[in-house]
Amino acid sequence: MVIGAGIGGLTLAAALRQVDFDVEVYERATELKAAGSGLGVLSNGGAALEALGLDIGLEKRGQILQRFGINDAEGNHITWFPIPELSDELGLPPTVVISRSALQQGLLEAVGDTPITLGAAAVGYETRPDGATVRFADGSEAHGDIVIGADGINSAIRRQITGPEPVREAGYVCWLAIVPFSHPNFETGSVLHYWGSGQRFGLLDVGHGQTYWFGTKNMSVERAADWQGTKEEIVQAYAGWADEVQAAIRVTPEKDIIAIPARDRDFLEQWGDGRVTLLGDAAHPMLTSLAQGAGMAIEDAVVLAGTLARAGDLTAGLRAYEDQRRERNRAMVLGSRALSEQEQLEDPGQRHERDEQLRATTYAAFAEQQRDVLTFPGIHV
């Protein structure tokens, strides 16, 4: 039983089908409708899918990354991140930038006729030596040999394992939207980030004439958690920024802009309880700075499916999966948090020092930092 039909849950359902497990998926939402945002499936995520022979047509559904640039707020170039070049050098799949809805559609096709029950909000579980029972808010129950909580940062399955625990607020809001958009300064296949004082903006080509953009701005935890501003506030926040930044905001209908707080959780050491475990954001929610949230959920799913397929004992297989994934995910959570702090700097001196360090980073140094990040570590039993 997979609790949650997000990227991690659907990838796991597809992966488990590949290794001949019967799967049922239970989702809190009453309809499967991906939010209007985008993401990157970096080379490690693509390699993980290939490891189980899962072809969901990423390159057709999204846009292969061709260049990744960092600029200042006015659009002056700071540096390129040579992610495509490094992936090519290592013989890895390309990074694909894709809308969340297009990725969801590919995963839904991969899960085929797997039963997906909507409107099923998990509230807790009971575990026993040969399986587990999940309780839902409407009073119903469902039983499985194993239960995987893939129900996101506010996971009910995690809450029972850990007890009450706070989310960690990063102190800024994220505005997100997808819109048809083109601009002379924004080439096909590009991802461009713009770094200002305590705020950022990103333009990402997700293919098919669509651009995903995000903006961030430091503010109080309370306001970020429940931002109720207007599009005009966002327009004013980026007044004087690069023309393409202002243009992307201008052409976006206010109703299509999503606002969410930047938050993660302190890293969890224990993911499992008997025949129950966690996956993706339920286990290790992270900030978006390393663009590895989706990649880690995909890796988790592939490793869990592969490990269970080779395990003689299901409970032991769950613990083996957790042991394989713990340190890699810890590194991503902490790395995303550290990069976020650098990206959101307000102090002019610190920002200048950061930008100069970026300008001085050589390809060799970048490759040394990113080689392991972009490489799927495989399945080990």
Side-chain angles (χ1 to χ4, degrees), residues 219-304:
M219 61 181 60
S220 72
V221 166
E222 294 75 20
R223 184 148 196 263
D226 187 30
W227 186 80
Q228 297 291 332
T230 64
K231 175 180 169 179
E232 183 58 28
E233 181 180 336
I234 303 173
V235 169
Q236 290 303 316
Y238 294 96
W241 284 51
D243 184 68
E244 59 271 24
V245 169
Q246 298 184 70
I249 299 169
R250 233 178 5 251
V251 301
T252 305
E254 184 165 18
K255 64 180 178 57
D256 293 341
I257 301 174
I258 301 166
I260 59 172
R263 50 177 45 156
D264 60 8
R265 290 187 184 275
D266 289 335
F267 193 78
L268 181 65
E269 299 296 333
Q270 179 189 343
W271 300 359
D273 175 17
R275 288 287 186 90
V276 177
T277 195
L278 302 172
L279 179 146
D281 283 352
H284 45 75
M286 62 189 71
L287 298 174
T288 60
S289 293
L290 284 180
Q292 281 288 356
M296 290 302 103
I298 290 168
E299 284 192 13
D300 284 355
V302 168
V303 170
L304 178 52

Side-chain angles (χ1 to χ4, degrees), residues 108-311:
L108 284 170
E109 291 178 15
V111 304
D113 59 0
T114 297
I116 301 177
T117 302
L118 300 178
V123 295
Y125 66 85
E126 285 88 34
T127 187
R128 56 185 189 277
D130 63 343
T133 298
V134 176
R135 303 186 310 276
F136 298 96
D138 63 1
S140 64
E141 296 181 343
H143 313 277
D145 298 313
I146 56 174
V147 170
I148 298 93
D151 46 342
I153 189 171
N154 295 313
S155 167
I157 305 302
R158 175 182 175 130
R159 187 160 57 246
Q160 182 164 334
I161 294 173
T162 65
E165 55 170 351
V167 294
R168 178 188 169 278
E169 304 285 0
Y172 59 93
V173 72
C174 303
W175 297 301
L176 319 171
I178 286 183
V179 65
F181 178 73
S182 63
H183 192 280
N185 296 340
F186 182 55
E187 298 179 19
T188 299
S190 292
V191 169
L192 297 177
H193 286 193
Y194 303 78
W195 291 2
S197 176
Q199 61 186 102
R200 289 177 286 137
F201 197 88
L203 289 169
L204 298 85
D205 179 6
V206 295
H208 310 283
Q210 299 286 304
T211 294
Y212 164 52
W213 66 255
F214 71 85
T216 70
K217 185 173 176 60
N218 292 351
M219 61 181 60
S220 72
V221 166
E222 294 75 20
R223 184 148 196 263
D226 187 30
W227 186 80
Q228 297 291 332
T230 64
K231 175 180 169 179
E232 183 58 28
E233 181 180 336
I234 303 173
V235 169
Q236 290 303 316
Y238 294 96
W241 284 51
D243 184 68
E244 59 271 24
V245 169
Q246 298 184 70
I249 299 169
R250 233 178 5 251
V251 301
T252 305
E254 184 165 18
K255 64 180 178 57
D256 293 341
I257 301 174
I258 301 166
I260 59 172
R263 50 177 45 156
D264 60 8
R265 290 187 184 275
D266 289 335
F267 193 78
L268 181 65
E269 299 296 333
Q270 179 189 343
W271 300 359
D273 175 17
R275 288 287 186 90
V276 177
T277 195
L278 302 172
L279 179 146
D281 283 352
H284 45 75
M286 62 189 71
L287 298 174
T288 60
S289 293
L290 284 180
Q292 281 288 356
M296 290 302 103
I298 290 168
E299 284 192 13
D300 284 355
V302 168
V303 170
L304 178 52
T307 301
L308 289 173
R310 303 174 193 183

Side-chain angles (χ1 to χ4, degrees), residues 12 24-25 39 61 69 92 95 168 244 288 306 320 380:
L12 178 61
E24 296 176 357
V25 179
L39 53 91
R61 298 178 189 278
L92 300 173
T95 288
R168 178 188 169 278
E244 59 271 24
T288 60
H380 309 287

